[in-house]
């Protein structure tokens, strides 16, 4: 994550998480620590996976102690092994104790998504198909989850509703059909935005292409229907496949000739990567 994104987008979320966890201080820490004292604690991997969120992890401690830092022995996107020592956090012991859970929550969540994304993206290596995420993210944590998808080796679809025109079934109903919806988008949306149309039938595929859609999303179609849709589109629009895409289904899509595969599972169904802070000692 760039320093700018960390400062502008991520830091308010980190601050909110710390306020949630210690709205009136940390009574456990206050009970056993009576003043500032420098300390260090080690970050240990308890599973194999891809590490992601190092900057967010470090910044969480720094919001409680500006002098805190993470001396990392790994880099963002590195593959780590169970039992591996990943580095040490150093700072005021009170910051280490109070920020530990929030910092680990972010790091574990982002690393879990990055691990899942890398495994799924690997199934499409060499195919020319781009695996991308969706907006099915945890409210308030999208900036972290989409960054983790990117670090894992997949791509980002729209970040938010302001990013592009994506006409789904309810948009089409509201506009009076595909032709009317695409025409309205061309007239009113910024010209730099692509227009994507979600379709469920071959008849809708034909209509979306005729209407001039830039991208046609094949939603929840079976494999035969998707193959027929790709032939019907015949290069006149980019093709995205979506709908319950997991590792098993990705493997079935490699030879269809589509451009993108979008998977909500990258964010909504990724388990955390188990990590732990251990061996605290005073310096």
């Amino acid at each position: 994550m760039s320093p700018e994104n960390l400062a502008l987008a991520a830091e308010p979320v980190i601050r909110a998480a710390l306020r949630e966890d210690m709205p009136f201080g940390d009574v456990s820490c206050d009970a056993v620590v009576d003043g500032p004292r420098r300390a260090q604690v080690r970050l240990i991997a308890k599973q194999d996976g891809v590490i992601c969120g190092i900057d967010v992890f470090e910044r969480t401690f720094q919001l409680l102690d500006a002098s805190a830092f993470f001396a990392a022995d790994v880099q963002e996107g590195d593959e780590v092994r169970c039992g591996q020592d990943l580095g040490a956090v150093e700072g005021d012991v009170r910051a280490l104790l109070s920020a530990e859970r929030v910092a680990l929550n972010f790091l574990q969540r982002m690393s879990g998504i990055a691990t899942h994304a890398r495994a799924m993206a690997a199934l499409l290596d060499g195919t020319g198909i781009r695996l991308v995420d969706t907006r099915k993210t945890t409210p308030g944590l999208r900036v972290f989850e989409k960054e983790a998808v990117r670090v894992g080796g997949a791509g980002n679809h729209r970040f938010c509703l302001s990013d592009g025109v994506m006409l789904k079934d309810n948009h089409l109903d509201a506009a009076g059909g595909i032709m009317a919806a695409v025409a309205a988008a061309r007239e009113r949306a910024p010209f730099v935005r692509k227009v994507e149309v979600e379709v469920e039938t071959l008849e809708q595929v034909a209509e979306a292409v005729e209407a001039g859609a830039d991208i046609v999303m094949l939603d929840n179609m079976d494999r035969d229907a998707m193959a027929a849709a790709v032939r019907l589109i015949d290069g006149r629009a980019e093709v995205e496949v979506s709908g319950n895409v997991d590792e098993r289904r990705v493997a079935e899509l490699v030879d269809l000739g589509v451009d993108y595969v979008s998977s909500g599972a990258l964010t909504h169904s990724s388990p955390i990567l188990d990590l732990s802070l251990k061996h605290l000692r005073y310096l």
Side-chain angles (χ1 to χ4, degrees), residues 9-35:
E11 187 163 310
V13 181
I14 302 171
R15 289 182 181 275
L18 286 169
R19 285 195 298 270
E20 177 186 60
D21 208 34
M22 48 185 297
F24 309 109
D26 179 352
V27 294
S28 300
C29 178
D30 293 345
V32 299
V33 178
D34 58 7

Short mmCIF file of all heavy atoms in Angstrom, two decimals, residues 9-35:
data_model
loop_
_atom_site.label_atom_id
_atom_site.label_comp_id
_atom_site.label_asym_id
_atom_site.label_seq_id
_atom_site.Cartn_x
_atom_site.Cartn_y
_atom_site.Cartn_z
N ALA A 9 -6.53 6.76 3.35
CA ALA A 9 -7.63 5.80 3.35
C ALA A 9 -7.57 4.82 4.51
O ALA A 9 -8.60 4.49 5.12
CB ALA A 9 -7.64 5.03 2.02
N ALA A 10 -6.38 4.33 4.82
CA ALA A 10 -6.26 3.26 5.80
C ALA A 10 -6.21 3.76 7.24
O ALA A 10 -6.81 3.16 8.13
CB ALA A 10 -5.01 2.43 5.50
N GLU A 11 -5.51 4.86 7.46
CA GLU A 11 -5.31 5.29 8.85
C GLU A 11 -6.60 5.58 9.60
O GLU A 11 -6.73 5.20 10.77
CB GLU A 11 -4.37 6.50 8.90
CG GLU A 11 -3.99 6.87 10.32
CD GLU A 11 -2.77 7.78 10.38
OE1 GLU A 11 -1.75 7.45 9.76
OE2 GLU A 11 -2.87 8.80 11.08
N PRO A 12 -7.61 6.22 9.00
CA PRO A 12 -8.86 6.41 9.74
C PRO A 12 -9.51 5.09 10.16
O PRO A 12 -10.12 5.02 11.23
CB PRO A 12 -9.74 7.17 8.73
CG PRO A 12 -8.78 7.86 7.83
CD PRO A 12 -7.63 6.92 7.68
N VAL A 13 -9.35 4.05 9.35
CA VAL A 13 -9.92 2.75 9.71
C VAL A 13 -9.15 2.14 10.88
O VAL A 13 -9.75 1.55 11.80
CB VAL A 13 -9.88 1.80 8.49
CG1 VAL A 13 -10.48 0.45 8.84
CG2 VAL A 13 -10.62 2.42 7.31
N ILE A 14 -7.83 2.29 10.86
CA ILE A 14 -7.01 1.78 11.97
C ILE A 14 -7.38 2.50 13.26
O ILE A 14 -7.54 1.88 14.32
CB ILE A 14 -5.51 1.93 11.66
CG1 ILE A 14 -5.13 1.21 10.38
CG2 ILE A 14 -4.68 1.40 12.83
CD1 ILE A 14 -3.70 1.50 9.90
N ARG A 15 -7.52 3.82 13.19
CA ARG A 15 -7.88 4.59 14.38
C ARG A 15 -9.24 4.14 14.93
O ARG A 15 -9.41 4.00 16.15
CB ARG A 15 -7.93 6.09 14.05
CG ARG A 15 -6.56 6.70 13.80
CD ARG A 15 -6.68 8.21 13.54
NE ARG A 15 -5.38 8.81 13.29
CZ ARG A 15 -4.54 9.23 14.23
NH1 ARG A 15 -4.89 9.13 15.51
NH2 ARG A 15 -3.38 9.77 13.91
N ALA A 16 -10.19 3.91 14.04
CA ALA A 16 -11.52 3.46 14.48
C ALA A 16 -11.44 2.10 15.15
O ALA A 16 -12.13 1.84 16.15
CB ALA A 16 -12.47 3.42 13.28
N ALA A 17 -10.61 1.21 14.62
CA ALA A 17 -10.46 -0.11 15.21
C ALA A 17 -9.84 -0.04 16.59
O ALA A 17 -10.23 -0.77 17.51
CB ALA A 17 -9.62 -1.00 14.29
N LEU A 18 -8.86 0.83 16.76
CA LEU A 18 -8.24 1.00 18.08
C LEU A 18 -9.24 1.59 19.07
O LEU A 18 -9.31 1.16 20.24
CB LEU A 18 -7.01 1.90 17.97
CG LEU A 18 -5.77 1.26 17.32
CD1 LEU A 18 -4.72 2.32 17.02
CD2 LEU A 18 -5.19 0.17 18.20
N ARG A 19 -10.04 2.56 18.62
CA ARG A 19 -11.05 3.14 19.51
C ARG A 19 -12.08 2.09 19.91
O ARG A 19 -12.54 2.07 21.06
CB ARG A 19 -11.75 4.32 18.82
CG ARG A 19 -10.92 5.59 18.76
CD ARG A 19 -11.78 6.79 18.42
NE ARG A 19 -12.42 6.66 17.12
CZ ARG A 19 -11.89 7.08 15.98
NH1 ARG A 19 -10.69 7.66 15.99
NH2 ARG A 19 -12.52 6.92 14.84
N GLU A 20 -12.44 1.23 18.97
CA GLU A 20 -13.39 0.16 19.26
C GLU A 20 -12.86 -0.78 20.33
O GLU A 20 -13.61 -1.24 21.20
CB GLU A 20 -13.69 -0.62 17.98
CG GLU A 20 -14.61 -1.81 18.15
CD GLU A 20 -14.75 -2.61 16.87
OE1 GLU A 20 -13.71 -3.11 16.36
OE2 GLU A 20 -15.88 -2.74 16.37
N ASP A 21 -11.55 -1.07 20.27
CA ASP A 21 -10.96 -2.07 21.15
C ASP A 21 -10.59 -1.51 22.52
O ASP A 21 -10.52 -2.26 23.50
CB ASP A 21 -9.72 -2.68 20.49
CG ASP A 21 -9.46 -4.10 20.95
OD1 ASP A 21 -10.44 -4.84 21.20
OD2 ASP A 21 -8.28 -4.50 21.04
N MET A 22 -10.35 -0.21 22.60
CA MET A 22 -9.96 0.38 23.90
C MET A 22 -10.58 1.76 24.07
O MET A 22 -9.87 2.77 24.17
CB MET A 22 -8.43 0.43 24.03
CG MET A 22 -7.69 0.99 22.84
SD MET A 22 -5.88 0.92 22.99
CE MET A 22 -5.57 1.98 24.39
N PRO A 23 -11.93 1.83 24.12
CA PRO A 23 -12.60 3.13 24.17
C PRO A 23 -12.27 3.93 25.43
O PRO A 23 -12.31 5.16 25.42
CB PRO A 23 -14.08 2.77 24.10
CG PRO A 23 -14.15 1.36 24.61
CD PRO A 23 -12.89 0.72 24.13
N PHE A 24 -11.95 3.23 26.52
CA PHE A 24 -11.62 3.91 27.77
C PHE A 24 -10.28 3.42 28.31
O PHE A 24 -10.07 3.34 29.52
CB PHE A 24 -12.73 3.68 28.80
CG PHE A 24 -14.09 4.01 28.26
CD1 PHE A 24 -15.01 3.01 27.99
CD2 PHE A 24 -14.45 5.33 27.98
CE1 PHE A 24 -16.26 3.31 27.48
CE2 PHE A 24 -15.70 5.64 27.47
CZ PHE A 24 -16.61 4.63 27.21
N GLY A 25 -9.37 3.09 27.39
CA GLY A 25 -8.06 2.60 27.78
C GLY A 25 -8.01 1.09 27.84
O GLY A 25 -9.00 0.39 27.59
N ASP A 26 -6.85 0.57 28.17
CA ASP A 26 -6.60 -0.87 28.25
C ASP A 26 -6.39 -1.20 29.73
O ASP A 26 -5.29 -1.03 30.27
CB ASP A 26 -5.37 -1.23 27.41
CG ASP A 26 -5.02 -2.71 27.47
OD1 ASP A 26 -5.62 -3.45 28.28
OD2 ASP A 26 -4.11 -3.13 26.73
N VAL A 27 -7.43 -1.69 30.40
CA VAL A 27 -7.33 -1.89 31.84
C VAL A 27 -6.36 -3.01 32.20
O VAL A 27 -5.73 -2.98 33.27
CB VAL A 27 -8.72 -2.15 32.46
CG1 VAL A 27 -9.60 -0.92 32.32
CG2 VAL A 27 -9.40 -3.36 31.83
N SER A 28 -6.23 -4.01 31.31
CA SER A 28 -5.28 -5.09 31.59
C SER A 28 -3.85 -4.57 31.57
O SER A 28 -3.05 -4.86 32.46
CB SER A 28 -5.44 -6.22 30.56
OG SER A 28 -6.74 -6.75 30.58
N CYS A 29 -3.54 -3.81 30.52
CA CYS A 29 -2.19 -3.23 30.41
C CYS A 29 -1.93 -2.27 31.56
O CYS A 29 -0.86 -2.30 32.19
CB CYS A 29 -2.05 -2.53 29.07
SG CYS A 29 -0.44 -1.73 28.83
N ASP A 30 -2.91 -1.40 31.86
CA ASP A 30 -2.72 -0.43 32.92
C ASP A 30 -2.52 -1.09 34.28
O ASP A 30 -1.85 -0.54 35.16
CB ASP A 30 -3.93 0.51 33.00
CG ASP A 30 -4.04 1.41 31.78
OD1 ASP A 30 -3.05 1.51 31.03
OD2 ASP A 30 -5.13 1.99 31.57
N ALA A 31 -3.07 -2.30 34.43
CA ALA A 31 -2.95 -2.99 35.72
C ALA A 31 -1.56 -3.55 35.96
O ALA A 31 -1.13 -3.69 37.11
CB ALA A 31 -3.98 -4.12 35.78
N VAL A 32 -0.83 -3.88 34.88
CA VAL A 32 0.46 -4.54 35.06
C VAL A 32 1.65 -3.70 34.62
O VAL A 32 2.80 -4.05 34.90
CB VAL A 32 0.50 -5.90 34.31
CG1 VAL A 32 -0.57 -6.84 34.86
CG2 VAL A 32 0.32 -5.72 32.81
N VAL A 33 1.40 -2.59 33.92
CA VAL A 33 2.49 -1.71 33.47
C VAL A 33 2.23 -0.31 34.02
O VAL A 33 1.17 0.27 33.76
CB VAL A 33 2.56 -1.66 31.93
CG1 VAL A 33 3.67 -0.71 31.48
CG2 VAL A 33 2.77 -3.06 31.35
N ASP A 34 3.18 0.21 34.77
CA ASP A 34 2.94 1.49 35.44
C ASP A 34 3.62 2.68 34.79
O ASP A 34 3.61 3.79 35.34
CB ASP A 34 3.36 1.40 36.91
CG ASP A 34 4.81 1.01 37.08
OD1 ASP A 34 5.53 0.93 36.06
OD2 ASP A 34 5.23 0.77 38.23
N GLY A 35 4.24 2.46 33.61
CA GLY A 35 4.88 3.58 32.94
C GLY A 35 5.56 3.15 31.67
O GLY A 35 5.59 1.96 31.32
#
